[in-house]
Amino acid sequence: MIFGRPTERHLSRRTASNCVPRASNPPMRLLITFSLITTAALAQNIAPQLTADDAVRIREFYRLADQIQNQIWPDWSRTPAPLLLVTPDTEFLTHHTEPTQSLRESRR
C-alpha cells in the first residue's frame, strides 16, 4: 500500500461481484418497494364516476327528449341539449360540444 491506496496487485484481485452492493435485508427492501408502490397508487387523482342510477337518468332524459321535444316546441330537436347533472360530490356535464373556459377550470 502506498499512501493509503491499494496497489495494482490488490486491485486485480477484486471481481465485479465484489464491487456491486448487495441488499443486506431483503424483507426491508420488499417493504420499501411495497410502500412506494402503494403511495404512488393512492396519490393518483381518481376521477369521479357516474353512478349506475345517474347514468340511467341521463339516458332516459335523452330518450324522452327525442320522443317529445318537437311536440312541445317545433324544431326543438335542432337545438343542442347539454345536461348538467349535479350530485352531492361533483357535477357531470354531458352532450356539450365545447365547454366554456369557466367550466373547464372548475373541473381541475
Side-chain angles (χ1 to χ4, degrees):
M1 231 187 227
I2 303 173
F3 298 21
R5 291 186 176 169
T7 60
E8 285 184 34
R9 188 178 61 131
H10 291 108
L11 289 175
S12 63
R13 290 185 190 169
R14 288 183 148 175
T15 62
S17 63
N18 290 340
C19 296
V20 177
R22 296 182 186 194
S24 60
N25 192 349
M28 182 58 92
R29 188 175 182 186
L30 180 63
L31 178 65
I32 291 171
T33 303
F34 177 75
S35 298
L36 290 173
I37 291 172
T38 304
T39 303
L42 294 176
Q44 293 179 359
N45 188 7
I46 299 172
Q49 295 293 314
L50 192 63
T51 65
D53 289 342
D54 288 337
V56 168
R57 288 181 185 104
I58 291 172
R59 279 194 303 268
E60 188 66 8
F61 168 78
Y62 285 108
R63 187 185 70 77
L64 288 174
D66 286 341
Q67 291 179 1
I68 64 172
Q69 61 190 352
N70 288 332
Q71 296 171 6
I72 296 171
W73 193 303
D75 294 328
W76 193 353
S77 60
R78 293 183 182 179
T79 305
L83 175 69
L84 178 65
L85 176 67
V86 179
T87 66
D89 301 325
T90 190
E91 298 172 354
F92 297 95
L93 180 63
T94 64
H95 292 78
H96 198 293
T97 55
E98 271 198 48
T100 63
Q101 183 65 29
S102 62
L103 285 172
R104 278 187 241 127
E105 288 173 358
S106 67
R107 290 180 14 188
R108 294 181 188 156

